[in-house]
């Protein structure tokens, strides 16, 4: 099992390294940091432009592969991702934003996966009953709706709810209330309230996809002989379902989880942006608007590391569930 | 996107053998089974209505999408303006139709385009095997490391310079990976079947075998993927455009309309609700058809399972 995980992990690390390198080349090809200095009145001198670009390591006069090499050497030796167009180290800016994004992403992914599996299993066990029909139609509608539309609809509902109650119960702009005074629990409660709607958006969308696949995987398992064997050797229906059914049905789900994690990241970025959170999604968008190559590559690296972690976790779950890979 | 188990089209292949006379028998069976599901009918009728409306709609619109009605700034739906007007008095009904046209065109090109790439790459990779297969599989894994949405955002400065067509191409180029792996798996099992071996031993060139024997046998998978791909492409496009990275200013899509309308979604809901509803209905219809097709092809996937 250790060997299997280690092999997969090495593969993921190589993929992440190459993806980051390609991300750097892509950002260098599409973003033009020089545009910030051009067309100004009074004009900026060529020397000043070169000095500024060289400081960030993005001078287009230098061949792009040389810049990539410098960037990589700087990352390995100093652990630095360069400076952003704002003049601050990219690592510092990412560190400030990462916790915001990760809070939403981790809570949303975990809740989404757990609820998705439960909904899928219940749908499969009670196939064509009211619960199955309702969850199937609901997941169809949710997957057909863009994430940002779901977010805006929830915001409209929350606004109307607040009006009805006559008090700002559900707050949804930003990550916390600016200038709030109070102790730890006041701040904790405030952040939890702000987290409510974004989490619902993320959980709704992921439950909609996960439950469909879990239901399908579970239906495959339910007609298998070993379920009947388990029942006939005296296991209760519930026990046979959990020990022999759900466990086997989770094996293909772990692979699907690894594949769908990219969609999850996209959904989380979109959700952050709609609710005006200062997270990594906003960082990527602002890096494109500011023609900031270092910041864009930093986001790519951050994402690649997350995908690496998610993929490895999925492999651990896979190995834990499927005894065949542990040999 | 369609992720399916390896057993998915085996049944269709068996049918092929029983029918003896090529793929048409299978496809007729699949078509009949698809159309026996009410959701397929609902989906097809809705898609047809939406497409016809997108084509004919502007002829019955009372307003030009860019004309300003100075007597109705930000007015709600009325007999004059069916979907209301925006801040500068432009008719939302006319604008929605223009946006719908663009979104439909993008969806119907990018979705099947991605399927085309997936079919060719997957079939070649599975059929050729060996070194090139490893390279292609590894490349697909690499493409899956970075979310397609992020790459599209990184590429967006290029779209701005070129046109929305560049974005359609990028959408197709970035959404074939999962399906290519599925097609590759299928191809590897079809390759070992007797009719492919027979063709190979008769000296039929590889490309002809892929075109004549492999691709028809994964056709049902590809049709499902193309159908679901239409909806997926429309969703991705609208999300990109919503954040200003997709369709650019003079062009209008449902995504740009939603971006303009969402700021005032609470106070003037018609700016948001009508384009959003049409977007959801269109995507929902394509996924209903795609799902009915999948049930028809794969008897173990849902509706006709005991």
């Amino acid at each position: 099992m250790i060997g299997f995980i280690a092999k997969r992990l090495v593969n993921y690390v190589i993929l992440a390294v190459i993806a980051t390198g390609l991300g750097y080349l892509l950002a260098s090809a599409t973003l033009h940091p020089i545009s910030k200095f051009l067309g100004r009145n009074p004009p900026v001198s060529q020397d000043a432009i070169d000095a500024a670009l060289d400081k960030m390591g993005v001078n287009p006069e230098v061949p792009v592969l040389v810049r990539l090499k410098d960037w990589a050497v700087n990352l390995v030796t100093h652990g630095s991702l360069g400076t952003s167009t704002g003049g601050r180290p990219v690592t510092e800016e990412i560190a400030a934003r990462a916790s915001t994004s990760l809070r939403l992403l981790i809570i949303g992914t975990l809740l989404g996966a757990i609820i998705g599996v439960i909904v899928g299993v219940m749908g499969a066990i009670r196939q064509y009953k009211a619960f199955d029909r309702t969850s199937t139609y609901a997941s169809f509608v949710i997957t057909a709706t863009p994430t940002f539309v779901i977010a805006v609809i929830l915001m409209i509902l929350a606004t109307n709810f607040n009006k009805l109650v006559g008090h700002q119960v559900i707050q949804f702009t930003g990550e916390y209330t600016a200038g709030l005074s109070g102790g730890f629990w006041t701040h904790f409660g405030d952040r939890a309230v702000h987290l409510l709607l974004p989490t619902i958006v993320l959980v709704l969308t992921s439950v909609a996809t996960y439950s469909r696949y879990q239901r399908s995987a579970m239906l495959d398992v339910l007609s298998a002989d070993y379920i009947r064997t388990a029942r006939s050797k005296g296991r209760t229906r519930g026990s046979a379902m959990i020990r022999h059914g759900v466990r086997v049905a989770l094996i293909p789900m772990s692979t699907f989880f690894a594949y769908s994690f990219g969609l999850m990241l996209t959904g989380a970025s979109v959700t952050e942006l709609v609710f005006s959170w200062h997270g990594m999604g906003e960082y990527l968008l602002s890096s494109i608007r500011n023609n900031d190559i270092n910041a864009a590559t930093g986001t790519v690296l951050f994402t690649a590391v997350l995908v690496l972690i998610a993929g490895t976790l999925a492999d651990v779950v896979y190995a834990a569930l499927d005894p065949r890979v542990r040999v | 996107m369609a992720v399916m188990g390896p057993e998915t089209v085996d049944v269709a292949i068996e049918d092929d053998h029983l029918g003896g006379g090529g793929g048409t028998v299978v496809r007729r069976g699949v078509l009949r089974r698809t159309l026996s599901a009410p959701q397929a009918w609902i989906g097809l009728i809705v898609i047809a209505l939406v497409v016809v409306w997108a084509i004919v709609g502007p002829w019955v619109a009372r307003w030009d999408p860019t004309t300003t009605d100075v007597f109705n700034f930000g007015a709600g739906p009325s007999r004059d303006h069916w979907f209301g007007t925006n801040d500068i008095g432009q008719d939302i009904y006319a604008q929605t139709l223009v946006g719908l046209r663009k979104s439909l065109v993008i969806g119907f090109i990018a979705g099947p385009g991605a399927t085309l790439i997936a079919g060719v790459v997957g079939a070649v990779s599975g059929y050729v095997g060996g070194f090139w297969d490893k390279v292609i599989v590894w490349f697909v894994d690499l493409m899956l490391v970075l979310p397609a949405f992020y790459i599209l955002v990184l590429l967006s400065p290029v779209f701005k310079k070129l046109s929305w067509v560049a974005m359609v191409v990028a959408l197709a180029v970035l959404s074939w990976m999962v399906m290519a792996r599925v097609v590759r798996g299928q191809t590897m099992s079809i390759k070992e079947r007797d009719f492919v071996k027979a063709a190979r031993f008769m000296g039929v060139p590889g490309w002809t075998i892929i075109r004549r024997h492999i691709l028809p046998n994964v056709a049902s998978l590809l049709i499902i993927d193309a159908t679901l791909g239409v909806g997926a492409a429309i969703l991705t496009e609208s999300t990109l455009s919503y954040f200003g990275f997709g369709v650019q200013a003079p062009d209008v899509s449902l995504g740009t309309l939603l971006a303009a309308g969402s700021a005032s979604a609470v106070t003037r809901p018609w700016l948001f609700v009508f384009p959003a509803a049409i977007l959801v209905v269109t995507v929902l219809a394509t996924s209903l058809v795609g799902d009915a097709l999948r049930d028809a092809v794969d008897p173990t996937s849902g509706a006709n399972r005991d």
Side-chain angles (χ1 to χ4, degrees), chain A residues 91-151:
Chain A
T91 35
E92 217 173 83
E93 294 189 341
I94 289 182
R97 288 164 178 272
S99 66
T100 307
S101 290
L102 288 178
R103 190 186 327 157
L104 177 62
L105 191 65
I106 292 173
I107 297 177
T109 314
L110 284 181
L111 276 181
I114 294 170
I115 299 175
V117 166
I118 294 175
V119 170
V121 168
M122 284 179 53
I125 292 177
R126 305 196 185 131
Q127 199 186 8
Y128 303 140
K129 299 279 168 52
F131 178 81
D132 184 33
R133 295 232 183 255
T134 323
S135 64
T136 302
Y137 288 130
S139 70
F140 261 115
V141 174
I142 291 170
T143 40
T145 313
T147 310
F148 68 89
V149 171
I150 298 180

Side-chain angles (χ1 to χ4, degrees), chain B residues 22-294:
Chain B
T24 51
V25 177
V26 191
R27 250 166 268 150
R28 206 177 300 141
V30 168
L31 194 65
R32 201 186 56 237
R33 266 178 284 159
T34 307
L35 294 180
S36 68
Q39 48 160 318
W41 279 108
I42 297 172
L44 281 174
I45 292 171
V46 170
I47 293 174
L49 285 177
V50 168
V51 171
V52 168
W53 186 46
I55 296 168
V56 180
W59 300 94
V60 294
R62 297 174 166 213
W63 297 87
D64 195 67
T66 48
T67 312
T68 293
D69 179 4
V70 286
F71 299 107
N72 286 298
F73 286 146
S78 63
R79 193 184 297 171
D80 234 17
H81 298 279
W82 296 332
F83 288 4
T85 60
N86 64 10
D87 298 355
I88 53 170
Q90 290 170 332
D91 188 51
I92 295 300
Y93 174 80
Q95 291 208 334
T96 303
L97 277 172
V98 178
L100 177 64
R101 281 180 160 193
K102 184 72 79 212
S103 289
L104 283 178
V105 168
I106 290 171
F108 278 104
I109 297 174
T115 305
L116 193 71
I117 302 174
V120 171
V121 173
V124 168
S125 169
Y127 185 78
V128 175
F131 175 73
W132 285 110
D133 180 44
K134 281 216 175 67
V135 170
I136 292 174
V137 167
W138 191 81
F139 180 72
V140 168
D141 276 349
L142 180 67
M143 297 272 285
L144 285 168
V145 171
L146 279 185
F149 182 78
Y150 282 25
I151 304 179
L152 285 166
V153 169
L154 274 175
L155 282 172
S156 61
V158 182
F159 311 151
K160 282 182 189 171
K161 254 182 254 158
L162 300 168
S163 73
W164 59 274
V165 183
M167 184 183 68
V168 176
V169 173
L171 273 175
V173 167
L174 288 170
S175 44
W176 53 270
M177 288 84 78
V178 173
M179 193 59 202
R181 291 200 67 143
V182 177
V183 171
R184 172 181 167 271
Q186 287 300 316
T187 307
M188 285 176 24
S189 85
I190 296 170
K191 194 172 80 170
E192 298 306 320
R193 302 186 88 100
D194 290 339
F195 63 95
V196 176
K197 279 187 179 156
R200 197 160 59 217
F201 297 147
M202 279 192 289
V204 180
W207 177 241
T208 315
I209 294 182
I210 289 177
R211 197 164 42 85
R212 297 263 296 269
H213 298 290
I214 308 274
L215 286 180
N217 273 307
V218 292
S220 23
L221 270 181
L222 296 177
I223 294 170
I224 297 166
D225 188 61
T227 316
L228 295 174
V230 173
I234 294 178
L235 285 182
T236 312
E237 177 277 319
S238 69
T239 307
L240 276 175
S241 301
Y242 182 78
F243 294 111
F245 292 107
V247 172
Q248 296 298 323
D251 289 325
V252 179
S253 81
L254 287 179
T256 59
L257 275 179
L258 288 171
S262 69
S264 44
V266 177
T267 47
R268 276 165 294 178
W270 58 88
L271 292 178
F272 186 79
V273 169
F274 289 115
I278 286 157
L279 177 70
V280 173
V281 165
T282 311
V283 177
L284 190 58
T286 59
S287 60
L288 282 178
V289 176
D291 203 62
L293 274 170
R294 184 181 348 204

